[in-house]
Amino acid sequence: MNVILLGPPGVGKGTQGVLLAEGKSWKHMATGDILRANRREGTSLGQEAQRYMDAGELVPDELIVAMVKDTLAGLPEGQGVVFDGFPRTVPQAEALDAVLEELNRALDRVVVLEADDDVLVKRIAGRRSCPDCGSVFNVFMNSPAQEGICDKCGAALVHRPDDNPETVKNRLNVYAEQTEPLIRFYEGREGVLAKIPGEGSVEEIQDGIRAAL
Ligand code: AP5
């Protein structure tokens, strides 16, 4: 299956995407994670993306689409994919349609996770991320066993540079202006779009997503 997880910053796309991909042996394709890996490695893509990410703006479509195309083309035929954080604009969604068709893949589901802004802001304020393995924790709701240390790989956890309150405000605006219109874009496709509450326990939300698939 090819499944898109859509929703605002902090709604739990990464948390749910990892669980879904692990459970189903699918590829978790998180464009934000791929960009952050490029930044760590100092690639030209990472350097180009940095100023947009730190300002809470979207990285230009052409860079993102080329990156996704490359990753998808390298996957074995029939390998399921969970798209997390992509597409984020209508041109990205149109490009995804074209790439999937080229690769003989179909878009099976678009799962929209929804939560109130105050929940999102609190989750993001408490988020701590592992710069090495990408694991995500939360000081309020899902703290690591040892404060500041990744449970999985032992690296020091960080507060993402784009998780400061000013940038978060901009990311929420950018979501409303540029990404939310995708809900209407996919609404017209019969049986594709499913809206799931993004508030509740991680397990409850995962169950809701799986039921929608
Ligand atoms: P990206 O990394 O995709 O960030 P985002 O969409 O803003 O989403 P987040 O990672 O903030 O949140 P999430 O929904 O994954 O939530 P999480 O599971 O971590 O993008 C970053 C930047 O990269 C963009 O601003 C842009 O510049 C660029 N970019 C990326 N993709 C792009 C694209 N396609 N086009 C252009 N630019 C692009 O959860 C949040 C916190 O809540 C965590 O601490 C978690 O532990 C906690 N939590 C999760 N679920 C629950 C729960 N049920 N209960 C309690 N706590 C929970």
Side-chain angles (χ1 to χ4, degrees):
M1 282 188 102
N2 298 288
V3 175
I4 294 172
L5 291 184
L6 190 64
V11 79
K13 302 180 296 297
T15 304
Q16 298 297 335
V18 167
L19 285 177
L20 188 60
E22 277 177 5
K24 304 257 186 199
S25 301
W26 292 347
K27 168 81 178 166
H28 176 222
M29 192 182 300
T31 43
D33 289 349
I34 302 175
L35 290 170
R36 281 184 287 277
N38 273 274
R39 287 179 62 165
R40 284 197 297 278
E41 289 155 15
T43 67
S44 55
L45 170 63
Q47 285 167 15
E48 173 73 359
Q50 180 161 351
R51 63 193 162 106
Y52 298 101
M53 296 175 80
D54 287 351
E57 297 292 335
L58 295 184
V59 174
D61 288 339
E62 58 275 18
L63 293 179
I64 298 288
V65 169
M67 182 179 97
V68 169
K69 214 170 165 177
D70 266 9
T71 313
L72 267 183
L75 294 181
E77 210 176 305
Q79 159 92 67
V81 181
V82 186
F83 295 94
D84 160 2
F86 177 88
R88 249 172 155 104
T89 62
V90 169
Q92 287 185 18
E94 289 168 345
L96 177 63
D97 283 342
V99 178
L100 289 177
E101 197 181 335
E102 225 172 86
L103 297 172
N104 264 330
R105 288 173 173 268
L107 176 60
D108 298 288
R109 288 284 185 283
V110 177
V111 177
V112 185
L113 295 175
E114 300 176 310
D116 286 342
D117 279 6
D118 53 348
V119 173
L120 305 174
V121 167
K122 182 166 184 205
R123 283 188 186 170
I124 291 175
R127 172 166 48 197
R128 297 295 179 272
S129 309
C130 178
D132 285 358
C133 74
S135 296
V136 174
F137 302 88
N138 195 289
V139 295
F140 305 123
M141 305 131 183
N142 166 32
S143 52
Q146 194 185 339
E147 198 187 322
I149 303 294
C150 177
D151 284 351
K152 270 201 185 157
C153 74
L157 299 174
V158 298
H159 197 208
R160 267 171 43 181
D162 59 342
D163 277 353
N164 69 77
E166 259 322 291
T167 311
V168 169
K169 213 165 130 195
N170 193 36
R171 286 163 60 200
L172 289 169
N173 289 336
V174 167
Y175 175 78
E177 283 165 18
Q178 300 192 52
T179 307
E180 218 164 35
L182 287 179
I183 297 176
R184 280 191 301 283
F185 180 89
Y186 288 118
E187 235 158 19
R189 301 189 188 184
E190 212 186 316
V192 167
L193 195 86
K195 292 184 181 175
I196 304 283
E199 296 180 41
S201 73
V202 169
E203 295 72 23
E204 282 165 352
I205 299 166
Q206 181 69 198
D207 288 348
I209 294 173
R210 289 186 187 220
L213 303 184

